[in-house]
Amino acid sequence: MRHTLPIAPQFYVTAPQPCPYLEGRMERKLFTALQGEGADQLNNSLSQQGFRRSQNVLYRPSCSDCAACLSARIDVTAFRPSKSQKRAAKRNAYLQRRANSPWATDEQYELFRRYLDTRHADGGMADMDVFEFAAMIEETPIRSWVVEYADPESGDLIGVSLTDVLDDGLSMVYSFYTPQQPQNSLGTYMILDHIDIAREAGLPYVYLGYWVPGSPKMGYKARFSGLEAYYQGEWISVNNPSELTDSSRHPLSTAPIAEQVASIQLPDRHPTKG
């Protein structure tokens, strides 16, 4: 099924598939192409409305009977590290950060495979080959970086984040790290470091992707103070995650697709003079 606005872009809906987070639920996504000279403006505008980027596509959950998946971001000025997060920062302070253009390497892919095989062997990306991995990293029409974390003594690659730079923050598109150091809380550290990067750059937010209150897979996001969720058309501060759980899974929580598309605010588009 296709839904369009009076002006570009066009929006589409995926066919329902089993939800990877909530047993017995079906998921579908509302999406549009990200391309052309207006790609940056479109990505900025829709990211502020709960969309996420995957290569040349922007998407947002649009399940017919559930609205449990919420786009999440950290308000940098409101963030205060917990004691455990301070320990994670201290344990990983020795790592060397390298910010590179979005170019895939064999070393990245080897780390990616070890990460998936150990932590997400049954996930949707488990069968991704080296060419698909390269496409995930390199196919970006906007300003993106590959942020690497390496051991300065051995040179070993420890963690990687594909990160987009938005007008109002950093969006961590996908992150992975060595599974051999669970005690170091590398995933937490990479988010903490992105908060530092955003603060240094004067950017107010770090976008973390989708979060499902009550889902064990997503629980780590609720441990960051300053968390905000895109809920019923606006960003709200998350003080008690349980408050969002029951109401967001109600069958009437999701508006019809036509209403969702009509409510999307697009960036101003000015015609090119001939």
Side-chain angles (χ1 to χ4, degrees):
M1 179 180 293
R2 185 178 72 183
H3 298 269
T4 63
L5 292 173
I7 58 174
Q10 296 181 330
F11 289 84
Y12 304 82
V13 181
T14 62
Q17 300 180 29
C19 176
Y21 304 114
L22 298 175
E23 187 175 354
R25 301 270 182 169
M26 300 295 288
E27 72 164 2
R28 66 179 183 180
K29 295 181 175 69
L30 179 68
F31 69 97
T32 189
L34 183 63
Q35 58 191 3
E37 59 184 31
D40 272 310
Q41 285 181 303
L42 183 63
N43 186 50
N44 280 306
S45 179
L46 294 194
S47 292
Q48 293 169 7
Q49 298 172 72
F51 281 76
R52 291 284 289 173
R53 184 182 73 84
S54 177
Q55 295 173 234
N56 298 317
V57 169
L58 288 171
Y59 70 93
R60 186 173 73 184
S62 180
C63 306
S64 58
D65 60 354
C66 178
C69 289
L70 306 173
S71 186
R73 69 185 186 186
I74 296 171
D75 181 343
V76 171
T77 59
F79 172 74
R80 299 292 183 273
S82 65
K83 291 182 179 179
S84 63
Q85 289 166 350
K86 289 179 180 179
R87 289 194 293 269
K90 186 175 182 180
R91 281 194 296 267
N92 295 286
Y94 74 98
L95 293 176
Q96 179 184 49
R97 181 211 299 155
R98 305 184 300 228
N100 303 311
S101 298
W103 187 257
T105 66
D106 290 340
E107 188 178 20
Q108 291 170 8
Y109 181 67
E110 291 172 2
L111 178 61
F112 174 74
R113 284 266 36 115
R114 283 192 281 120
Y115 173 78
L116 287 185
D117 293 344
T118 302
R119 297 180 62 104
H120 302 286
D122 57 349
M125 303 173 74
D127 296 329
M128 185 178 286
D129 62 26
V130 65
F131 301 105
E132 293 168 321
F133 173 78
M136 179 181 75
I137 297 294
E138 298 173 9
E139 290 185 9
T140 170
I142 62 170
R143 186 183 176 192
S144 303
W145 294 92
V146 173
V147 183
E148 297 182 335
Y149 298 88
D151 185 326
E153 292 189 5
S154 66
D156 292 340
L157 187 63
I158 303 299
V160 175
S161 175
L162 174 60
T163 303
D164 291 345
V165 181
L166 308 177
D167 285 348
D168 68 345
L170 301 177
S171 177
M172 300 181 72
V173 177
Y174 191 77
S175 302
F176 53 95
Y177 46 87
T178 179
Q180 279 72 44
Q181 299 178 12
Q183 73 283 357
N184 284 359
S185 303
L186 286 163
T188 294
Y189 171 72
M190 292 166 68
I191 294 174
L192 294 172
D193 189 60
H194 274 68
I195 293 173
D196 286 341
I197 297 172
R199 184 181 291 113
E200 292 165 4
L203 296 171
Y205 300 108
V206 173
Y207 289 79
L208 298 181
Y210 292 109
W211 166 58
V212 181
S215 169
K217 292 182 180 180
M218 300 288 196
Y220 70 93
K221 296 180 183 181
R223 292 195 285 269
F224 286 85
S225 63
L227 187 70
E228 296 183 351
Y230 192 74
Y231 182 68
Q232 297 182 350
E234 62 180 343
W235 290 97
I236 63 171
S237 297
V238 178
N239 298 314
N240 183 4
S242 63
E243 294 177 353
L244 301 177
T245 302
D246 295 334
S247 61
S248 63
R249 295 181 188 177
H250 191 278
L252 299 182
S253 296
T254 305
I257 294 296
E259 290 184 18
Q260 293 182 48
V261 173
S263 67
I264 293 172
Q265 298 180 14
L266 295 174
D268 292 333
R269 292 172 178 270
H270 302 288
T272 303
K273 295 181 180 180

